[in-house]
Amino acid sequence: MNTNDAAEQLKNVCRFKHLSIQTERAYLHWYWRYAAFAKTRQDADRETKVRGFLTHLARDRKVSPSTQAQALNAIVFFYKHVVSNPLGDIGAFCRPKKKQYLPVVLSQEEVKALLFHLPGIYKLIGSLLYGSGLRLAECLSLRVEDIDLERGTLTVRCGKGGKDRQPTLAPSLLPDLRRQVDEVKRRHAIELAAGRGDVYMPHALARKYPNAAYELGWQFLFPSSKPGPCPRTGAYRLHHLHQTAVSKALRKARLAAGINKHVKAHTLRHSFATHMLEAGADIRTIQEELGHAHVDTTMIYTHVMQKHHVKSPLEALSA
């Protein structure tokens, strides 16, 4: 099996196991990098090649521990599910020193300033990221039917780990969401008139419900500005906004607001959890809101919350 056939088989296995498009792309990326490296080590066995590749990433490419772990996961997945010959013991290899990173958190005034400088639809997206603690991919993947304007609820379907959940939804966002649904309805009518109007349907639902892809409820809440090829099927249709568009808007808003912190879409999710914790919310409640599988993941926010009961000894000197 040559490298191209192996890559195609890896893609098929990812689709068969219903891995996310992000995971599929990451695994293919690391497969090609490992394949290029392995060609230079023809005389070594595969365990030695894998160990050498991981050492190369840490020593020469200076990657982070999480990046190196992702590369190893991709290689293990390839040998187990594509080659059908699981990788054996690869022995010791060079690992980068693992660091404990604390999440970047904005103050409430900084969040207010950031949202103020976000234009149009990006302000609504930023408000959902902060107001409901959504991941960016979860927000952009929302469909019209996921917003219940009558009950004031929001449903995240097939979030990280394939889990559904209903995070809190700020009532103040309902008028903006209603206007956005009306805008999607208007654009959907234009697409239907042009002979298009269908969207990507997960898990073979397009075959089970042939007309559902043309229904308003299945349309993305934040559609792209124009139709394009579907990242999975290649079909030419309207998809949701690309993540890079949101990232660019956030960067411009950060600069306009004069915020000197490294702000990403996930920063608003971090700020949501931290501000809820500071407001007295239970850690288990925050875990459910964020969709974390383990409470240990949520506990990281206890390290960045403002501890009002702890005073610096410097304050006693000025008393």
Side-chain angles (χ1 to χ4, degrees):
M1 183 165 47
N2 60 41
T3 53
N4 290 327
D5 291 341
E8 189 64 25
Q9 183 65 19
L10 175 59
K11 182 189 295 185
N12 292 338
V13 173
C14 290
R15 302 281 174 90
F16 175 77
K17 292 185 172 294
H18 300 292
L19 301 185
S20 69
I21 188 68
Q22 292 88 353
T23 302
E24 177 185 315
R25 287 171 174 169
Y27 280 9
L28 285 169
H29 167 79
W30 287 117
Y31 163 74
W32 282 114
R33 289 188 62 173
Y34 169 68
F37 178 86
K39 284 183 179 180
T40 65
R41 306 293 179 90
Q42 296 289 348
D43 57 334
D45 58 33
R46 63 175 186 172
E47 281 74 17
T48 302
K49 292 177 182 178
V50 173
R51 184 169 62 250
F53 178 63
L54 296 173
T55 299
H56 160 71
L57 291 178
R59 184 188 59 203
D60 304 326
R61 304 302 299 173
K62 312 295 183 185
V63 303
S64 67
S66 59
T67 301
Q68 189 189 47
Q70 185 187 69
L72 177 58
N73 290 340
I75 297 170
V76 169
F77 182 90
F78 171 75
Y79 279 117
K80 181 178 181 180
H81 299 288
V82 178
V83 182
S84 299
N85 188 5
L87 193 64
D89 183 14
I90 63 174
F93 57 92
C94 180
R95 295 177 182 268
K97 187 176 180 181
K98 190 171 184 178
K99 299 179 181 179
Q100 180 66 48
Y101 293 101
L102 292 178
V104 175
V105 175
L106 302 177
S107 68
Q108 291 184 327
E109 287 301 316
E110 287 173 328
V111 172
K112 184 177 180 180
L114 184 71
L115 295 179
F116 176 79
H117 286 93
L118 281 173
I121 192 64
Y122 298 107
K123 181 176 182 178
L124 179 56
I125 292 174
S127 298
L128 284 172
L129 296 177
Y130 174 69
S132 301
L134 302 183
R135 300 177 179 92
L136 180 56
E138 293 173 342
C139 183
L140 297 182
S141 298
L142 289 173
R143 315 269 182 152
V144 171
E145 67 175 16
D146 296 331
I147 306 294
D148 190 332
L149 295 172
E150 301 303 321
R151 297 182 63 237
T153 60
L154 162 69
T155 303
V156 174
R157 304 191 188 278
C158 291
K160 192 173 183 179
K163 296 175 292 185
D164 292 359
R165 72 179 192 280
Q166 278 195 339
T168 186
L169 177 62
S172 60
L173 291 180
L174 291 178
D176 291 334
L177 287 171
R178 191 180 301 276
R179 283 190 289 271
Q180 180 60 21
V181 170
D182 290 340
E183 174 62 17
V184 173
K185 184 177 181 180
R186 184 189 69 83
R187 292 192 59 188
H188 183 49
I190 295 175
E191 288 294 308
L192 289 175
R196 297 188 295 265
D198 63 320
V199 292
Y200 170 74
M201 301 286 286
H203 309 312
L205 287 177
R207 291 199 302 270
K208 188 175 183 180
Y209 307 108
N211 297 322
Y214 294 89
E215 295 176 1
L216 177 63
W218 278 99
Q219 301 301 306
F220 288 108
L221 185 63
F222 302 111
S224 56
S225 59
K226 57 184 179 180
C230 176
R232 281 196 182 274
T233 65
Y236 194 77
R237 56 164 64 103
L238 203 63
H239 205 59
H240 61 64
L241 272 175
H242 200 277
Q243 294 188 13
T244 55
V246 180
S247 299
K248 290 177 181 178
L250 282 171
R251 182 179 183 277
K252 291 180 180 179
R254 176 185 68 83
L255 295 174
I259 299 174
N260 297 318
K261 296 177 180 177
H262 183 57
V263 177
K264 301 185 296 183
H266 218 69
T267 304
L268 292 172
R269 176 175 161 91
H270 292 322
S271 301
F272 161 84
T274 305
H275 295 168
M276 281 195 66
L277 196 60
E278 292 172 347
D282 181 76
I283 193 71
R284 291 287 184 180
T285 301
I286 300 175
Q287 178 192 358
E288 292 179 3
E289 289 284 338
L290 296 177
H292 286 163
H294 305 287
V295 72
D296 292 345
T297 308
T298 318
M299 289 296 292
I300 188 67
Y301 299 109
T302 62
H303 298 288
V304 292
M305 64 177 292
Q306 289 184 340
K307 302 176 178 63
H308 300 286
H309 61 283
V310 178
K311 293 185 177 180
S312 167
L314 182 64
E315 296 300 307
L317 300 181
S318 57

